[in-house]
Each structure stands twice: as structure tokens, then as C-alpha cells.
């Protein structure tokens, strides 16, 4: 198939999923065309089956707001016509689903049929999309998509609850490349960060409020009182300054390292013992899956789609949002003995294997085939 993929090219989960899906589909022989405003961060290699089309935007002094949607729609029309796309897969509803609809209508005027698949990722539904400044367009664009997928059952339910959707939403969970995300031998790195054999606690995110990174710090502070440990914070974002402040107030600075945005995240996860994800909402929790694949058990909230990934008492534990005491207690159950840690690590990996790219990618292939077939069948 010739597949166009639109996504945010940044470190965010939706962009990562879109890029990894494109890579996996390319390996299976499909021709993939990424159409984004800059090179996706995980698209850092050459593949003969992958092309990247940058959306360039002509500036004009009149524009207080850059008309990105117009530029993206024009680029989609161009790529679809000249590359002969069979399907266009857009990740994150805003603004990609409505832009795809616009492109589809323009192509129809040229006699070209382009089926659109929209994947809902989370905040496009649970936070931003339902705001009245976006809702009518999001509802319309989802309903006009030829196929709609959500990354968890929880997100599917939220979508039906928040929007008037008359389309069947297919749940296709996120997935993981187990060749890349596997435990690597990085003992020298571990010794440098935890020279006295401390336990290593880790969190990765975009440091937005919804991630509740302050809870990570509170949980760590409680663990550290009983078990010698260090905390690695990976990523960056709007809450970073407040989190640094909190570490100073709690006198934790010697044991907390801010590593910033990292490309080779699997190397860091490989040396860690516990991943903390206390999010307010989380449609799936891809960062937790990446940790589990590197044999890191997860302490998380029970928000959104997390219970579909983290199995309580098996791959880690879940607590109510904000219950840092319970999270810390559960963390210590895992970390207290080497035997317990070993057991949770192995169980985390077993669970991650259920989300192997090789298992999930064919679900997208089958879904594309179904959507293409339906769009070519004249309505009765
Ligand atoms: O978590 C974020 O803020 C980034 C966001 C995104 O769209 O880039 O992540 C969402 O999509 C990921 C991939 O499907 C999911 O694993 C995350 O759970 C989801 N984030 C939220 O729902 C908050």
C-alpha cells in the first residue's frame, strides 16, 4: 500500500507512535510518506520505502497567525496526487483530521478518492478537543473520517462520552519495537549514577501539568527515606522549574538528576528499577510500555487507559490519582528485596511482549484494507 502519515514530529507519544508505525509498515514492504512540518524525531535513519515531505509555509506580514492548516492541506493534496496514496492516516485529531477532510474534498474535485483514517491519541479528546473552541470541528472531522481508531478502550469510551460520534471506533493499542526497547548491558552507566548500589527510579514525560511530575518527586522522597535510591527525570516542559523548586524544598537535589530530552531512552531505562507514571489522565501510557519492555516495573495512577497496560500486582501497581502515600508503599513492595524486584521485572517484560510491533502492525494493515475497500464500494 502507499500510505500517507501525518503527525506531530516532536517527542510526544502520538508522533512517536505514528513514526514507529510508519517504520514498521515500511519494513513490511509498504511505501510510506510522512507529511509533517519538520522531520519526526524518531525518523533518524534511511529506508528506501520511506519518504519525508516537509510542509513549508509561505509567510506574509498580514498573517498574525500562520495558516498552517492551509499549507498542510495543500501539501496533502500534492503528495496524494503525485504519489498515488491509497490511504491517509492522520494521528491526533487537532488539526489533522479536519485538514485531512479538506484535502479529501479537494482531491474529490479532481476525481481522486482518498480514504482517511484518524487515530485518536488522548489529549485531542480528553483535554483539548472537548473545549468549545475546538469541539464542533473535532466532532465533524471524526465523523467524516473513513476510519477512526483509538489507542485504548478507555479513550474510545471518552470519545463517545464527550462528542456526538456516529462512527464505529476501532481500538488498536499502542505497540513497542522490542528489538530497540530491550534491556541493554549498561552497567558502567548504572555505576556512575548509583555508585553505592542505590535503586534507580525513573520518570519520562513532557513535564506538562497532566503528568503530575510533582507526585513523582513526592513518591521518590518517601521511598528514599527507607531505601537508598536515586531519581532520573527525563524530558522537559512547562513544569520543569516548579519541579526543580520542589526538589530543593525537599532537600533532594543530590539524589535527583534532570537528564532533559533524550534520544536513546532505552539505554537509560535499561539501568532503572522502577518507572513512575502518576498522570491525571493517560489514554494509554506509551512511556510506561517502553519502560516495561526494558524490564522496568511501573507504579502508576489508575487513570484512563493505564489499567489496560499495567496489571496491578503483576507488572507494578496502580493507585488513585494523587495518592502518593499508596504509590510509595507499593514502590517499596517492589524495591525492598532483590527477589521481588526480579519477579516484577520479568512480569513487566512478559506483558510488554503482548504489545510487540509485529503483533499490532498487522491490525493497522487489516484496518486500512477494510477502509479502502469500503471507500471504493459505492454507497447503496
Ligand atoms: O502524553 C502526552 O502529553 C502526549 C500525547 C500525544 O498525543 O503526543 O500522548 C498521548 O498519546 C500517547 C500515544 O498514543 C499515549 O500513550 C498517551 O497516553 C497520551 N497522553 C495522554 O492521554 C495524556
Amino acid at each position: 500500500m502507499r500510505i500517507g502519515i501525518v503527525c506531530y514530529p516532536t517527542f510526544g507519544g502520538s508522533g512517536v507512535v505514528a513514526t514507529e508505525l510508519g517504520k514498521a509498515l515500511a519494513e513490511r514492504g509498504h511505501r510510506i510518506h510522512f507529511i509533517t512540518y519538520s522531520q519526526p524525531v524518531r525518523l533518524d535513519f534511511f529506508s528506501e520505502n520511506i519518504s519525508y515531505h516537509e510542509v513549508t509555509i509561505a509567510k506574509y506580514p498580514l498573517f498574525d497567525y500562520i495558516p498552517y492548516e492551509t499549507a498542510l492541506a495543500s501539501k496533502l493534496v500534492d503528495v496524494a496526487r503525485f504519489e498515488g496514496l491509497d490511504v491517509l492516516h492522520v494521528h491526533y485529531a487537532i488539526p489533522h483530521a479536519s485538514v485531512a477532510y479538506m484535502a479529501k474534498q479537494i482531491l474529490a474535485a479532481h476525481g481522486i478518492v482518498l480514504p482517511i483514517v484518524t487515530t485518536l491519541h488522548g489529549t485531542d479528546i480528553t483535554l483539548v478537543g472537548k473545549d468549545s473552541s475546538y469541539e464542533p470541528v473535532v466532532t465533524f472531522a471524526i465523523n467524516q473520517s473513513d476510519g477512526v481508531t483509538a489507542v485504548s478502550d478507555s479513550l474510545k469510551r471518552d470519545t463517545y462520552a464527550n462528542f456526538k460520534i456516529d462512527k464505529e471506533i476501532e481500538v488498536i493499542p499502542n505497540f513497542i519495537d522490542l528489538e530497540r526497547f530491550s534491556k541493554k548491558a549498561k552497567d558502567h552507566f548504572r555505576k556512575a549514577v548509583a555508585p553505592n548500589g542505590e535503586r534507580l527510579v525513573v520518570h519520562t514525560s513532557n513535564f506538562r501539568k497532566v503528568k503530575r511530575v510533582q507526585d513523582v518527586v513526592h513518591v521518590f522522597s518517601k521511598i528514599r527515606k527507607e531505601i537508598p535510591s536515586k531519581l532520573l527525570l527525563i524530558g522537559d516542559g512547562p513544569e520543569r522549574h516548579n519541579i526543580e523548586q520542589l526538589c530543593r524544598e525537599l532537600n533532594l537535589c543530590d539524589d535527583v538528576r534532570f537528564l532533559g530530552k533524550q534520544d536513546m531512552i532505552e539505554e537509560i531505562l535499561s539501568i532503572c528499577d522502577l518507572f513512575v507514571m502518576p498522570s491525571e489522565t493517560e489514554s494509554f501510557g506509551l512511556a510506561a510500555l517502553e519502560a516495561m519492555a526494558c524490564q522496568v516495573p511501573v507504579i502508576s495512577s489508575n487513570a484512563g487507559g493505564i489499567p489496560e497496560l499495567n496489571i496491578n500486582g503483576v507488572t507494578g501497581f496502580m493507585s488513585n490519582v494523587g495518592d502518593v502515600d499508596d504509590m510509595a508503599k507499593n514502590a517499596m513492595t517492589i524495591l525492598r528485596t532483590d527477589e521481588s524486584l526480579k519477579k516484577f521485572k520479568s512480569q513487566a517484560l512478559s506483558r510488554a511482549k503482548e504489545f510487540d510491533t509485529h503483533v499490532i502492525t498487522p491490525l493497522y494493515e487489516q484496518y486500512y484494507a477494510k477502509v479502502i475497500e469500503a471507500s471504493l464500494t459505492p454507497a447503496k
Side-chain angles (χ1 to χ4, degrees):
M1 279 182 248
R2 283 156 295 180
I3 303 161
I5 294 183
V6 176
C7 64
Y8 285 101
T10 51
F11 275 92
S14 62
V16 167
V17 169
T19 312
E20 295 295 340
L21 177 61
K23 283 156 80 169
L25 289 164
E27 269 171 32
R28 295 168 71 89
H30 301 284
R31 280 288 296 139
I32 305 302
H33 295 270
F34 284 99
I35 305 135
T36 58
Y37 59 77
S38 66
Q39 177 109 0
V41 283
R42 291 239 180 134
L43 198 61
D44 50 2
F45 67 99
F46 170 77
S47 159
E48 58 178 1
N49 279 340
I50 296 182
S51 304
Y52 162 60
H53 308 264
E54 188 155 308
V55 180
T56 46
I57 306 170
K59 299 211 171 83
Y60 187 67
L62 179 68
F63 300 152
D64 277 344
Y65 299 98
I66 294 170
Y68 171 63
E69 282 88 339
T70 305
L72 176 58
S74 298
K75 185 57 108 182
L76 292 179
V77 169
D78 183 65
V79 174
R81 287 179 77 184
F82 292 99
E83 303 291 351
L85 296 184
D86 297 307
V87 63
L88 178 66
H89 188 174
V90 301
H91 292 258
Y92 207 89
I94 307 168
H96 301 144
S98 52
V99 173
Y101 172 74
M102 165 73 99
K104 183 184 164 90
Q105 296 312 310
I106 297 168
L107 288 161
H110 293 276
I112 297 169
V113 177
L114 180 64
I116 309 291
V117 171
T118 297
T119 290
L120 309 172
H121 277 276
T123 47
D124 45 354
I125 295 301
T126 55
L127 278 183
V128 201
K130 65 184 185 192
D131 188 276
S132 59
S133 54
Y134 295 114
E135 182 279 321
V137 174
V138 174
T139 303
F140 178 81
I142 292 174
N143 281 326
Q144 292 297 321
S145 298
D146 298 279
V148 183
T149 77
V151 298
S152 64
D153 264 312
S154 155
L155 185 59
K156 175 178 173 173
R157 287 194 301 275
D158 281 342
T159 308
Y160 285 129
N162 289 316
F163 302 86
K164 279 206 172 79
I165 299 300
D166 53 32
K167 277 244 132 50
E168 181 55 35
I169 298 175
E170 180 95 355
V171 174
I172 303 183
N174 286 335
F175 52 87
I176 188 88
D177 175 358
L178 290 165
E179 274 151 44
R180 173 174 176 179
F181 284 88
S182 60
K183 194 169 173 63
K184 312 271 187 294
K186 291 283 161 192
D187 284 353
H188 58 289
F189 180 35
R190 186 174 174 115
K191 282 202 182 85
V193 192
N196 302 311
E198 294 92 340
R199 298 291 198 213
L200 271 179
V201 180
V202 65
H203 169 83
T204 72
S205 78
N206 50 26
F207 287 41
R208 296 198 188 123
K209 267 198 181 328
V210 68
K211 302 292 175 183
R212 296 184 68 99
V213 188
Q214 281 86 343
D215 285 2
V216 178
V217 175
H218 284 297
V219 170
F220 174 69
S221 167
K222 289 171 195 293
I223 298 172
R224 180 177 159 275
K225 285 189 183 131
E226 299 201 21
I227 298 174
S229 44
K230 302 272 182 187
L231 173 64
L232 303 181
L233 291 171
I234 305 171
D236 212 336
E239 287 297 299
R240 161 87 185 251
H241 175 73
N242 294 338
I243 297 154
E244 274 174 338
Q245 272 311 114
L246 180 63
C247 291
R248 286 174 202 161
E249 282 162 27
L250 296 175
N251 210 12
L252 294 175
C253 296
D254 287 346
D255 293 322
V256 181
R257 308 249 324 229
F258 287 83
L259 301 182
K261 291 179 182 170
Q262 293 283 335
D263 286 328
M264 304 297 279
I265 204 154
E266 64 279 14
E267 296 191 354
I268 304 169
L269 290 171
S270 288
I271 63 163
C272 293
D273 301 308
L274 191 74
F275 187 86
V276 185
M277 175 178 267
S279 307
E280 183 88 35
T281 79
E282 200 72 62
S283 67
F284 180 87
L286 182 64
L289 176 57
E290 292 180 342
M292 287 158 65
C294 296
Q295 300 185 32
V296 186
V298 174
I299 288 294
S300 69
S301 70
N302 52 12
I306 300 178
E308 295 170 49
L309 174 67
N310 189 16
I311 305 172
N312 206 37
V314 178
T315 57
F317 288 98
M318 287 183 295
S319 309
N320 291 330
V321 173
D323 192 345
V324 292
D325 286 335
D326 194 55
M327 290 180 194
K329 183 188 94 212
N330 291 335
M332 285 184 275
T333 301
I334 296 173
L335 294 176
R336 186 96 56 197
T337 66
D338 288 344
E339 293 70 41
S340 157
L341 183 56
K342 198 172 158 205
K343 183 182 81 178
F344 275 94
K345 279 179 176 246
S346 141
Q347 290 167 175
L349 174 60
S350 300
R351 176 73 174 147
K353 285 180 179 165
E354 294 174 36
F355 297 88
D356 186 342
T357 306
H358 300 297
V359 175
I360 307 297
T361 309
L363 303 181
Y364 276 109
E365 285 176 317
Q366 288 155 23
Y367 191 65
Y368 295 153
K370 192 171 122 184
V371 167
I372 293 169
E373 162 94 34
S375 73
L376 295 175
T377 312
K380 284 182 193 143

